Amino acid sequence: MKVQMLGLCRFSYLGGRGFQVEHDDLAGRRAFLYDPERLARRWFWFRHVTLPALMAQSDSDFTLVLMTGPDLPEPWLSQLRDLCDEVPQFRLSLVPPMERHVEACLAAIAPHLDPQADVVGHFRQDDDDAVAIDYIRDARRDFAALEPLWSRRRRLSCDYARGLVLKATADGVSVEPRMIHNAVAGLTVYLAPDAQRSIMHFPHWQIGLSMPGVTLPGKVMFVRFLNHDNDSGAIGAGYPWEAGETDWNTMLADRFRIDLAHLDRAARDFGLPGADRPRWGQ
């Protein structure tokens, strides 16, 4: 069975809905999203948290759609173009503002669906989170065991629930091992190629209302990165896991190609508190 792995990463996409931080009008949202200092921070975290493991995947057969608006300011729009030229798996999608966010996301990924695939493993990649270097391999390989369950409704979620929460403040970056139920990173939604849906149609915190799901908690598979510019910054439902004497520098380097010391220095240099959101870090 052919499994296409297809991801969506929104980089400061300007649209009408889909975010918890609200604005009075589109102009207000544009000013917030396109603030140069904010974009500089977003790009830094994107380059040093999200991209390293994606560019080192043990299974390179995947597509990641980088979604943004056609008026994203320079130099960030050109940098996204250059990145897509550099990385064969990346595709740039410039989507004008649309009121319905799920429709905008579907418009971004629809041209990249493989009609020859038997099933599409959709994943959502926030631009400041990370998946482990074997995420694509495992999500494709594990579907073989999950296929009988998927075939009942042609919908299925698979949650790699063991991960790390990194919190960046003016004091640096802390690391907390967490089991998180259906976090964004490490969650795969398997759909038929003709489903006319993307992962964005199914809110991750209530995905059980839409499909059966499986949890595979064995390996550390994601990083949830909390910083000043998070849309919500809520950790999500879950609990800690016992890490013992784990060396976080080594684990983050091995599993995610993340340089923790570099992130720590950058957080101190930015000198910002956590986001001013009701549930940031909780």
Side-chain angles (χ1 to χ4, degrees), residues 207-249:
I207 201 166
L209 296 174
S210 302
M211 65 189 73
V214 174
T215 299
L216 299 178
K219 295 194 294 187
V220 176
M221 194 65 87
F222 69 86
V223 164
R224 175 87 170 96
F225 185 60
L226 305 185
N227 59 83
H228 177 80
D229 299 304
N230 290 134
D231 184 47
S232 70
I235 293 177
Y239 43 87
W241 55 272
E242 180 58 49
E245 300 298 320
T246 301
D247 181 337
W248 298 127
N249 288 279

Side-chain angles (χ1 to χ4, degrees), residues 116-137:
Q116 303 303 314
D118 297 295
V119 61
V120 180
H122 293 262
F123 63 98
R124 169 182 162 187
Q125 179 65 67
D126 283 1
D127 64 3
D128 54 3
D129 290 342
V131 290
I133 61 172
D134 49 5
Y135 164 70
I136 296 294
R137 185 201 69 183

Side-chain angles (χ1 to χ4, degrees), residues 158-199:
C158 179
D159 176 24
Y160 295 110
R162 185 183 299 267
L164 301 175
V165 175
L166 274 57
K167 297 180 184 178
T169 68
D171 297 324
V173 176
S174 63
V175 182
E176 179 182 349
R178 293 284 296 185
M179 305 291 290
I180 303 178
H181 302 298
N182 296 316
V184 168
L187 177 66
T188 313
V189 171
Y190 299 98
L191 301 173
D194 59 355
Q196 295 297 306
R197 293 287 187 273
S198 79
I199 193 170

